[in-house]
Amino acid sequence: MIPTLEWTPAGVNFLDQTKLPHEETYVLATDYKQVATVIRDMITRGAMAIGVSGAMGVAIGIQNSTATTLPALDAEVAEICAHLAATRPTAVNLFWGIDRVRALYTQLAAANTPIAEIKTAVVALAREMYDEDIANCKQLGANGADLLPQEGTILTHCNAGALAACGYGSALGVIRAAVERGHKIDVLADETRPYLQGARLTAWELMKDNIPTTVLCDNMAAYLMGKGRIQACIVGADRIAANGDTANKIGTYGVAILAKEFGIPFYVAAPWATIDVNTAHGGLIPIEQRDRREVTPAKYITAIITERGVLRAPFTESIRAIAEDLVPVASL
């Protein structure tokens, strides 16, 4: 398992993904501001990893607090959460991670729980979320594996692998699960400009797993699809609106349109936390203009694969159906 991030007694240790594939080095964040810098500067990246990083940022901020009263700690927690939330506006998992730890803090503070006990509890939750992410990715992979061909070539864009999560990955998790079941698959990894996550990260990951991989220029997909070289496309997501519109790395929209034109299934793999039921459609998703992300309309997506099941069109209804089933545990 690639150690993307890890809670340690000294702080949160992050694999520096800006240095891959040439150098495997780590950055230790010892306070919440350093965690925010790691997220903002893409030292760690990927919706799932960002969500857990945000949770750990809140936890380490509370753990390091010198507040002696709950009102003082309340003010600190508000500042910690606001600082972390400002780092990556598109990735809804970030707000999910922050809000989940903050909700526990609010619950414990309302019960006048001693500050020392609050610190222990929020750290325990952040570490639990790390384990949950890996388990969710493995379940997501199992749900999606049989959607991929028994034999053929899969195109992916950006990196939605173990490096984008706490382990295993979403889009690459589905590929890993299919290979584990005996599918004979090779992968075309779009280079993914401008940060080259496909060339630097996806190819590096898959080579470590001995899954045949070829780095593809971003503008070659149409030619290869037209030649029948690609049997399926699968990508991750930063945020999925309630109607299925999906925000992911720039270039994803174009791949989805091409797949539709050539009759190739286009799958989105993401944990349930990436689905924002409070955002009606993709036009309402805040887009990070810094790195030119785009939105892929739901009409181009064959299915959305989550750990809670495979969602199909009409996505507004399939997403609502699962969301309604989750109402009793909405605060978790």
Side-chain angles (χ1 to χ4, degrees), residues 181-224:
R181 295 185 183 187
H183 294 217
K184 298 184 186 303
I185 284 173
D186 68 287
V187 178
L188 293 176
D190 272 351
E191 58 184 341
T192 317
R193 298 180 184 185
Y195 281 101
L196 301 178
Q197 291 95 325
R200 293 188 304 105
L201 306 179
T202 296
W204 181 78
E205 264 197 53
L206 294 175
M207 287 173 65
K208 279 184 170 288
D209 280 357
N210 295 315
I211 297 174
T213 309
T214 301
V215 175
L216 191 68
C217 295
D218 284 356
N219 56 4
M220 287 180 64
Y223 174 78
L224 292 175

Side-chain angles (χ1 to χ4, degrees), residues 38-70:
V38 164
I39 297 170
R40 183 172 51 250
D41 293 351
M42 297 183 72
I43 290 169
T44 197
R45 27 76 47 209
M48 297 160 288
I50 289 172
V52 176
S53 296
M56 289 186 173
V58 178
I60 200 171
I62 294 172
Q63 183 185 61
N64 290 348
S65 173
T66 58
T68 57
T69 67
L70 286 174

Side-chain angles (χ1 to χ4, degrees), residues 293-329:
R293 293 170 186 263
E294 296 177 348
V295 173
T296 297
K299 65 182 180 180
Y300 295 118
I301 298 172
T302 305
I304 297 171
I305 306 162
T306 78
E307 76 277 16
R308 299 184 184 275
V310 176
L311 309 176
R312 294 188 180 274
F315 291 112
T316 302
E317 296 178 11
S318 58
I319 289 172
R320 183 191 299 122
I322 292 184
E324 289 174 349
D325 287 342
L326 296 177
V327 167
V329 293

Side-chain angles (χ1 to χ4, degrees), residues 18-311:
T18 65
K19 302 290 180 62
L20 291 174
H22 303 296
E23 187 179 341
E24 294 181 36
T25 60
Y26 288 80
V27 173
L28 182 67
T30 59
D31 60 42
Y32 78 89
K33 290 184 178 179
Q34 291 178 357
V35 173
T37 298
V38 164
I39 297 170
R40 183 172 51 250
D41 293 351
M42 297 183 72
I43 290 169
T44 197
R45 27 76 47 209
M48 297 160 288
I50 289 172
V52 176
S53 296
M56 289 186 173
V58 178
I60 200 171
I62 294 172
Q63 183 185 61
N64 290 348
S65 173
T66 58
T68 57
T69 67
L70 286 174
L73 185 54
D74 285 345
E76 280 194 42
V77 170
E79 167 57 27
I80 290 166
C81 293
H83 189 84
L84 288 162
T87 56
R88 300 291 302 276
T90 301
V92 71
N93 298 64
L94 172 64
F95 308 105
W96 165 81
I98 292 169
D99 291 346
R100 188 166 169 187
V101 176
R102 187 175 192 173
L104 176 61
Y105 166 78
T106 301
Q107 175 186 339
L108 295 174
N112 291 313
T113 306
I115 289 177
E117 292 183 22
I118 290 176
K119 291 182 176 182
T120 299
V122 295
V123 170
L125 175 59
R127 298 185 71 176
E128 178 184 329
M129 291 168 68
Y130 175 94
D131 294 332
E132 284 179 1
D133 182 71
I134 296 173
N136 286 343
C137 284
K138 289 185 174 180
Q139 182 60 59
L140 183 159
N143 289 344
D146 287 339
L147 297 178
L148 299 186
Q150 287 293 324
E151 185 172 351
T153 299
I154 310 301
L155 175 69
T156 189
H157 190 78
C158 197
N159 172 264
L163 290 170
C166 297
Y168 206 73
S170 55
L172 296 194
V174 174
I175 291 171
R176 284 187 170 97
V179 170
E180 290 166 5
R181 295 185 183 187
H183 294 217
K184 298 184 186 303
I185 284 173
D186 68 287
V187 178
L188 293 176
D190 272 351
E191 58 184 341
T192 317
R193 298 180 184 185
Y195 281 101
L196 301 178
Q197 291 95 325
R200 293 188 304 105
L201 306 179
T202 296
W204 181 78
E205 264 197 53
L206 294 175
M207 287 173 65
K208 279 184 170 288
D209 280 357
N210 295 315
I211 297 174
T213 309
T214 301
V215 175
L216 191 68
C217 295
D218 284 356
N219 56 4
M220 287 180 64
Y223 174 78
L224 292 175
M225 287 182 183
K227 293 293 185 180
R229 179 73 173 82
I230 296 169
Q231 281 67 57
C233 303
I234 188 165
V235 300
D238 287 322
R239 185 182 301 211
I240 300 172
N243 71 335
D245 288 347
T246 294
N248 192 50
K249 180 60 63 181
I250 188 168
T252 306
Y253 191 174
V255 172
I257 292 172
L258 290 170
K260 184 77 169 181
E261 174 66 22
F262 288 105
I264 298 169
F266 181 91
Y267 299 113
V268 172
W272 179 258
T274 304
I275 298 177
D276 183 1
V277 296
N278 296 315
T279 296
H281 56 80
L284 301 175
I285 296 175
I287 304 299
E288 296 176 32
Q289 294 300 324
R290 177 188 66 183
D291 49 9
R292 307 294 183 185
R293 293 170 186 263
E294 296 177 348
V295 173
T296 297
K299 65 182 180 180
Y300 295 118
I301 298 172
T302 305
I304 297 171
I305 306 162
T306 78
E307 76 277 16
R308 299 184 184 275
V310 176
L311 309 176

